Amino acid sequence: MSESGGSVRWDGAPIPVVGIGADGWDGLGRAARQALVDCEVLLGSPRQLDLVPDAVTARRVRWPSPLLPAVAGLLDEYRHVRLGVLASGDPMFYGIGTTLARLVGPQALRVLPQPSSASLACARLGWSLPEVAIVSAVARPLTGLLPELADQRRVLVLSNDQDTPAHVADLLAGHGFGGSALTVLEQLGGPAERLVSGTAAGWNHPPADPLNIVAVHAVADLDRVRITRLPGLPDSVYAGDGQLTKSEIRALTLAALAPAPGELLWDIGGGSGSIAIEWCRTDPACRAVTFERLGARRRQIAGNAATLGAPGVQVRGEAMTELGGTDPAPPDAIFFGGGLTQHGLFETCWAHLRHGGRMVANAVTAESEALLLSLADEYGGELRRYQIYRGEPLGRFTTWRPQLPVTQWSVVKRRQRHAHSGEIRS
């Protein structure tokens, strides 16, 4: 199989990708049944393959584990036969259909979907599907649920296994949502369909059927600290040694970095990880790599990312060491919270930043501020200075306590004319 428009080239007939529900063969339409009958080889999970009757004579091949690394090889192995693929429900809803579309392109597929588990769950509960948040826990950290939580929010969790409902209940109870209503919907659409309900704090049900989805109607505890997707979370939610961009400056910094869904941030000098974490919390598809020299701080960043539901944060060591001799994917944005005065670090990061990407640097010392002024003179961009005051008690009265002033430089990397020589360069 050779490289083509997708990751690989498919020369055979379009591959039928048939969604099958818990109702099995009886729930399939005529076109889906005929597509399976016409196959010579049928790929699927053991549960899916067992739902197909013996009248379908195709050779049945179970997906290996892990699945994703093996898919391209299986396509190559069976490219000369009439190949079919089974999926659960809607193949394009967190299913194998999306993987195949990336590999061979949509033109090489014939997708025949059934209702997704989310559609069936909303039908049973009377929920409006477009208004429901959906989180997948299938081979993914369950902490990705945390940024979706808000009082009265409705969320569907796609379970990884029979223990996921209990883990969801524990996570909710431990993060200020113990009163949330949970409904576990098992074997949706099949003869063994069952619904089990309770609250997060009082969940004591046995493990569920492995084929289940968890519906959460979130109810926030009255005394919980309010945490949303908006940057500028309270400083108190971060554990660590105090190396932290304070909430007001954090909000201004994230506004300058301007994250968009799917973008990648490099956070240089991670500290407590607050910038990388809040970048990733803005959207589930955002990713961040935070570079931190000290091992203790790397551990505190990882802990904060788990506590605040930011599985997209990757923690690495000292930036120059990590980047030396490698060719990583270019970031969409870079934040300098430290290390700006380290020899060669700015130049290395600037070289990796993609064209059109943003760089933001904060300075609190005279030396780093002087460097920002010099960089702004050479590369352009915008300079701002922030002075934050917080009201604090002074006896029976209130006074304003100044925080350290912060100088911020933000710049977009683009082809530009050098300010002094007239040279055109990146």
Side-chain angles (χ1 to χ4, degrees), residues 5-190:
S7 298
V8 293
R9 179 179 176 182
W10 178 256
D11 296 319
I15 303 169
V17 185
V18 178
I20 190 166
D23 51 357
W25 187 257
D26 291 341
L28 297 179
R30 179 181 301 174
R33 291 185 180 188
Q34 189 61 52
L36 296 178
V37 168
D38 291 341
C39 291
E40 294 176 306
V41 173
L42 194 55
L43 297 173
S45 71
R47 181 187 63 81
Q48 294 159 355
L49 293 170
D50 287 345
L51 293 172
V52 178
D54 293 339
V56 176
T57 60
R59 177 188 169 199
R60 305 178 189 209
V61 178
R62 298 182 176 187
W63 291 118
S65 181
L67 186 154
L68 294 182
V71 173
L74 288 170
L75 292 175
D76 188 42
E77 181 178 355
Y78 297 117
R79 60 177 172 166
H80 296 305
V81 301
R82 294 193 303 276
L83 179 65
V85 173
L86 287 173
S88 293
D90 184 348
M92 309 308 291
F93 180 73
Y94 292 94
I96 190 64
T98 56
T99 300
L100 294 174
R102 286 194 298 268
L103 282 172
V104 299
Q107 73 284 348
L109 305 178
R110 181 187 175 208
V111 179
L112 299 162
Q114 289 283 89
S116 69
S117 58
S119 294
L120 291 171
C122 286
R124 301 296 185 268
L125 298 169
W127 290 3
S128 171
L129 182 57
E131 298 173 8
V132 173
I134 298 173
V135 175
S136 175
V138 180
R140 305 180 189 195
L142 185 57
T143 52
L145 169 63
L146 294 175
E148 300 291 349
L149 296 177
D151 192 47
Q152 302 304 313
R153 186 89 189 275
R154 289 171 170 174
V155 186
L156 291 175
V157 180
L158 310 182
S159 289
N160 189 55
D161 54 30
Q162 67 274 9
D163 296 319
T164 301
H167 294 326
V168 170
D170 289 342
L171 188 70
L172 292 169
H175 286 81
F177 286 87
S180 300
L182 269 61
T183 302
V184 179
L185 303 98
E186 304 174 355
Q187 291 284 336
L188 275 171

Side-chain angles (χ1 to χ4, degrees), residues 312-353:
V313 174
Q314 180 184 359
V315 185
R316 304 279 292 274
E318 191 273 327
M320 288 293 283
T321 302
E322 294 284 344
L323 296 174
T326 65
D327 188 21
D332 300 285
I334 297 176
F335 170 64
F336 272 93
L340 190 64
T341 58
Q342 181 180 346
H343 177 70
L345 183 56
F346 167 79
E347 291 78 8
T348 298
C349 291
W350 184 260
H352 281 291
L353 183 65

Side-chain angles (χ1 to χ4, degrees), residues 225 227 233-240 244 247 250 304 308 390:
V225 176
I227 301 176
L233 298 183
D235 296 342
S236 60
V237 304
Y238 289 96
L244 175 72
S247 61
R250 201 182 319 130
N304 286 329
L308 294 170
R390 290 183 177 180

Side-chain angles (χ1 to χ4, degrees), residues 340 346-347 359 361 370-381 409:
L340 190 64
F346 167 79
E347 291 78 8
M359 179 176 284
L371 181 55
L372 289 190
L373 294 173
S374 175
L375 291 171
D377 182 57
E378 181 173 359
Y379 291 88
W409 174 54

